[in-house]
Amino acid sequence: MTSVAKPSLLPDIFSVEYYADPFPTLAWLRENDPVTEVALPFADLDLWLLTRHDDVRALSTDPRLSADTRSASERFLASGLAMGVGTGWERAFVLDPPDHTRQRRVVGGTLTPRVVAGWESVVSRTAAELVDAMTEEDEPDLLHSFAYPLAITTIGTVLGAPQSDHAMLRGWSDAATSPDREAANAALLATLDYVRGQMEVKRGRQGDDLLSLLLRASDGEDRLDDDEVAAVAANLLGAAYDTTANFLANAVVALLDHPDQPRAAVTDRVVEELLRHSGPVLLSPVFRFAVEPVELHGVTIPEGATLGFLVGAANRDPHVYAEPDRLSAARTDPPHVAFGHGPHHCVGAALARLEARIGLTTLFARFPNLGFGVERSRLAHRVSPFMYGFAALPVTLD
């Protein structure tokens, strides 16, 4: 016999204390209440949370769940969590097959390993310039002096945006994550309008930037229409900026917290372990909507429910990862879900990995004695139900 969980407001989750250190709460949920319905304190919505690694992987590909907001309840659409609905932003990626399959085929054929590897010089040059500039600062803040500038310069250059526009794009990307949905949607619309303008420029003078590649790819059999190209590019801009910058800062903190781990040369294996241990996404912003009931661990998730995947919990599941709270570059456990799993796996994952490997290697090669600029306990955490990170990261260079 199955039971249906009742909405509850857990005392720890989504509190100020939770944001400072979410992992004890996530561990309790994972062990004691792995499928739970929570009344969100920041939105008028009951959200079903999943915390176990195997459940997140399995339900990421379950046909009983949809990622398309057209399958969402009216309550979800009114909650303020439906990012960009009505702006055109939702024309990319958060769709179901066959539209999602077609989009991923086009974008995946554009973001090939050879193309991504070709951006290494951009990342290397930008990282080197930023570490040089940090030496001139009296009180360097790694998040704002290195991580955010590296992320916006990289994705701006990759998309073919003039450098003079990067600060404007950064402002819109910052505003897009605001809890003020009116301001956030205005920023999303501004970004989409900008991308559409750049598309017209590229049509007359295409280059080897990503926007030009998307336009050329859209002339093929699996074409994208103009609204889809704009939405794909705008989504890549937003995702490659905020999450990548937060991951770089999280990775630095994790490496400073674990001085036994290698950092003189940050390898691909180290990056993967950092993504598992200190990935920036706690709660996936790609919600799922039950198009039919789902039974899991003796609980029935009803049709019409909204589900959220707590990937920050899944990546520290002790049933999958030995000593999950410990950073270990030698780990050979199963893959993490920091970039999601299945058809909605992050399409920009290869670029994020490239930025992390080069950015962290450049940083620690230049500043091998990098340290915290304040006591570790005084670092201010970001307050966000979706992102795990820091509001600032003051550092010492010597």
Side-chain angles (χ1 to χ4, degrees), residues 288-352:
R288 302 308 200 280
F289 312 105
V291 296
E292 59 181 272
V294 176
E295 185 177 329
L296 191 63
H297 302 302
V299 175
T300 298
I301 302 172
E303 179 179 349
T306 303
L307 289 80
F309 296 159
L310 279 163
V311 297
N315 279 335
R316 295 199 184 191
D317 190 332
H319 297 289
V320 178
Y321 307 105
E323 297 182 84
D325 294 326
R326 183 172 65 89
L327 186 74
S328 174
R331 192 178 296 278
T332 57
D333 295 314
H336 58 74
V337 289
F339 290 122
H341 175 69
H344 291 283
H345 180 272
C346 176
V347 73
L351 179 58

Side-chain angles (χ1 to χ4, degrees), residues 92-354:
F93 301 136
V94 283
L95 301 171
D96 293 329
D99 285 336
H100 182 266
T101 306
R102 171 179 54 81
Q103 285 185 351
R104 291 295 295 238
R105 193 158 47 232
V106 174
V107 179
T110 300
L111 285 169
T112 63
R114 182 185 64 81
V115 168
V116 174
W119 296 326
E120 184 165 342
S121 61
V122 173
V123 180
S124 296
R125 181 177 65 253
T126 304
E129 292 172 352
L130 290 170
V131 296
D132 283 345
M134 285 176 66
T135 63
E136 303 298 320
E137 298 182 21
D138 293 332
E139 298 180 346
D141 179 332
L142 189 136
L143 187 61
H144 296 282
S145 299
F146 183 78
Y148 277 121
L150 178 61
I152 197 62
T153 300
T154 298
I155 190 57
T157 303
V158 162
L159 284 170
Q163 187 171 359
S164 58
D165 291 346
H166 290 181
M168 178 175 63
L169 295 175
R170 180 176 176 178
W172 288 333
S173 297
D174 286 333
T177 62
S178 166
D180 181 344
R181 295 318 305 166
E182 184 175 345
N185 281 346
L188 298 180
L189 284 169
T191 304
L192 284 166
D193 287 344
Y194 174 84
V195 171
R196 291 188 183 102
Q198 288 296 302
M199 287 166 60
E200 296 307 311
V201 173
K202 303 299 180 186
R203 283 195 173 97
R205 188 176 66 254
Q206 288 194 6
D208 58 359
D209 56 87
L210 180 56
L211 189 53
S212 293
L213 294 176
L214 287 170
L215 288 169
R216 284 201 289 272
S218 295
D219 293 333
E221 182 177 346
D222 289 327
R223 68 180 305 275
L224 305 181
D225 63 34
D226 282 359
D227 287 340
E228 287 178 305
V229 172
V232 165
N235 270 270
L236 286 170
L237 172 64
Y241 167 68
D242 197 33
T243 54
T244 301
N246 276 273
F247 174 51
L248 286 166
N250 289 0
V252 168
V253 171
L255 288 169
L256 294 181
D257 283 344
H258 295 80
D260 60 315
Q261 295 302 301
R263 62 191 191 193
V266 178
T267 64
D268 291 337
R269 174 176 283 190
V270 174
V271 170
E272 293 310 303
E273 173 63 353
L274 287 165
L275 283 163
R276 181 202 69 80
H277 181 273
S278 298
V281 178
L282 276 181
L283 173 64
S284 172
V286 181
F287 295 98
R288 302 308 200 280
F289 312 105
V291 296
E292 59 181 272
V294 176
E295 185 177 329
L296 191 63
H297 302 302
V299 175
T300 298
I301 302 172
E303 179 179 349
T306 303
L307 289 80
F309 296 159
L310 279 163
V311 297
N315 279 335
R316 295 199 184 191
D317 190 332
H319 297 289
V320 178
Y321 307 105
E323 297 182 84
D325 294 326
R326 183 172 65 89
L327 186 74
S328 174
R331 192 178 296 278
T332 57
D333 295 314
H336 58 74
V337 289
F339 290 122
H341 175 69
H344 291 283
H345 180 272
C346 176
V347 73
L351 179 58
R353 288 181 167 110
L354 178 73

Side-chain angles (χ1 to χ4, degrees), residues 352-363:
R353 288 181 167 110
L354 178 73
E355 287 184 70
R357 177 174 58 80
I358 295 174
L360 293 171
T361 297
T362 302
L363 185 70

Side-chain angles (χ1 to χ4, degrees), residues 1-5 29-36 48-56 58-59 64 294-301 317 319:
M1 181 176 179
T2 62
S3 61
V4 177
L29 282 173
R30 192 175 51 231
E31 187 63 28
N32 299 284
D33 204 1
V35 184
T36 187
W48 290 82
L49 297 173
L50 302 183
T51 53
R52 292 185 178 174
H53 181 275
D54 291 349
D55 295 339
V56 168
L59 269 70
R64 294 172 296 177
V294 176
E295 185 177 329
L296 191 63
H297 302 302
V299 175
T300 298
I301 302 172
D317 190 332
H319 297 289

